[in-house]
Amino acid sequence: MQFNDYRALGFTTLQNGLIAYYPQLQISDAELLLIIQLEAFGQRGELFPSNEKIAANTNLTVTDVGNLIQHLIDQNYLNIEQTTDSQDKIGNQYSLNKLYEALDHYIDQNILIKNKQNKTTRVTDNLENNPINYLSRKVEIEFGRYLSPIEREEISQWLSVDHYSPDIIELALREAVLSQAYSLKYIDRVLLNWQRHNLKTTAEVERFLKRNR
């Protein structure tokens, strides 16, 4: 296929902020994929695609799609709104407005640097500083292979659920490489061990490692 052939399929616009910060909103990789599909359908004018249609465009099952939709609704990121057409027929449509409101709030509170007049002066972060992308690249380089979506999700969980800092995860990665244990399970065991010893900073971890070498 030539580029013009792909153009005929159309393009989907997605906020770079969502790509960069979806983990901070507690959105999983699978949920992001679903959001992309909803945007793709919506931007083509199909505002309430069936679960079967969405599943057909992904590696997800119809059941997976239903569960992901329900979870996004439970998180108040996705709404189903009632619509009425020109002939007074009632229908439904998906709305991601709440998701983008939450994203705007996160960026406003955590990314934008403001002056005393509450005016934005600069951005404190950018797409390259997304910790999941950064850590995933580090792991891939050290392991010499690409990570699976499930492995990326595990790294996301370390940050968003377990609240390990990126620096601590990097130290655990270093320990795995030194031990020639190229698996996330080993890194997870290292992190859990440090957690049990109440080690919260890189300095505390370094001192612990020196004592136990």
Side-chain angles (χ1 to χ4, degrees):
M1 291 177 69
Q2 301 298 314
F3 177 69
N4 283 338
D5 296 320
Y6 286 106
R7 287 182 66 185
L9 295 174
F11 298 91
T12 299
T13 301
L14 199 67
Q15 276 198 23
N16 281 336
L18 179 62
I19 296 171
Y21 303 116
Y22 74 91
Q24 282 75 13
L25 298 180
Q26 313 300 317
I27 293 173
S28 69
D29 289 352
E31 287 166 344
L32 178 64
L33 175 60
L34 174 64
I35 291 166
I36 293 171
Q37 290 296 324
L38 291 177
E39 284 287 15
F41 278 106
Q43 291 174 35
R44 294 198 302 269
E46 192 166 350
L47 302 178
F48 198 67
S50 68
N51 293 1
E52 288 78 10
K53 280 190 174 182
I54 296 172
N57 283 1
T58 69
N59 290 322
L60 301 170
T61 67
V62 174
T63 301
D64 291 335
V65 171
N67 289 337
L68 291 170
I69 286 173
Q70 186 58 53
H71 192 239
L72 287 173
I73 291 173
D74 292 342
Q75 289 178 292
N76 199 30
Y77 289 151
L78 180 67
N79 290 332
I80 299 176
E81 299 177 347
Q82 193 172 84
T83 61
T84 304
D85 65 15
S86 58
Q87 298 179 341
D88 291 331
K89 290 183 178 179
I90 296 174
N92 293 312
Q93 69 177 27
Y94 287 118
S95 171
L96 289 165
N97 289 342
K98 292 293 186 181
L99 167 64
Y100 290 114
E101 287 175 9
L103 176 63
D104 288 346
H105 179 74
Y106 175 83
I107 291 174
D108 183 68
Q109 296 296 313
N110 298 279
I111 307 303
L112 302 180
I113 302 297
K114 300 182 180 181
N115 58 23
K116 291 182 180 179
Q117 287 74 39
N118 203 35
K119 294 182 179 180
T120 299
T121 58
R122 64 187 175 91
V123 177
T124 188
D125 203 354
N126 58 45
L127 299 187
E128 293 301 315
N129 291 331
N130 179 351
I132 292 181
N133 289 342
Y134 172 77
L135 289 168
S136 295
R137 285 196 295 268
K138 292 283 289 186
V139 173
E140 286 175 341
I141 290 169
E142 296 293 351
F143 285 12
R145 62 175 177 82
Y146 290 113
L147 296 179
S148 69
I150 293 176
E151 288 173 318
R152 284 181 59 88
E153 177 66 19
E154 185 167 359
I155 293 174
S156 172
Q157 295 288 321
W158 288 339
L159 292 164
S160 61
V161 177
D162 301 314
H163 302 295
Y164 297 128
S165 73
D167 291 339
I168 293 290
I169 296 172
E170 272 198 81
L171 286 178
L173 170 61
R174 186 188 69 182
E175 291 301 300
V177 172
L178 289 174
S179 300
Q180 296 185 330
Y182 301 103
S183 75
L184 295 191
K185 287 184 179 180
Y186 186 91
I187 295 175
D188 191 55
R189 287 198 297 271
V190 171
L191 290 169
L192 285 172
N193 183 47
W194 292 348
Q195 186 181 60
R196 283 195 293 269
H197 285 86
N198 200 32
L199 306 176
K200 298 180 179 179
T201 68
T202 55
E204 291 172 344
V205 170
E206 293 284 12
R207 287 195 295 270
F208 175 81
L209 293 173
K210 286 182 179 178
R211 289 197 305 267
N212 293 277
R213 290 289 186 199

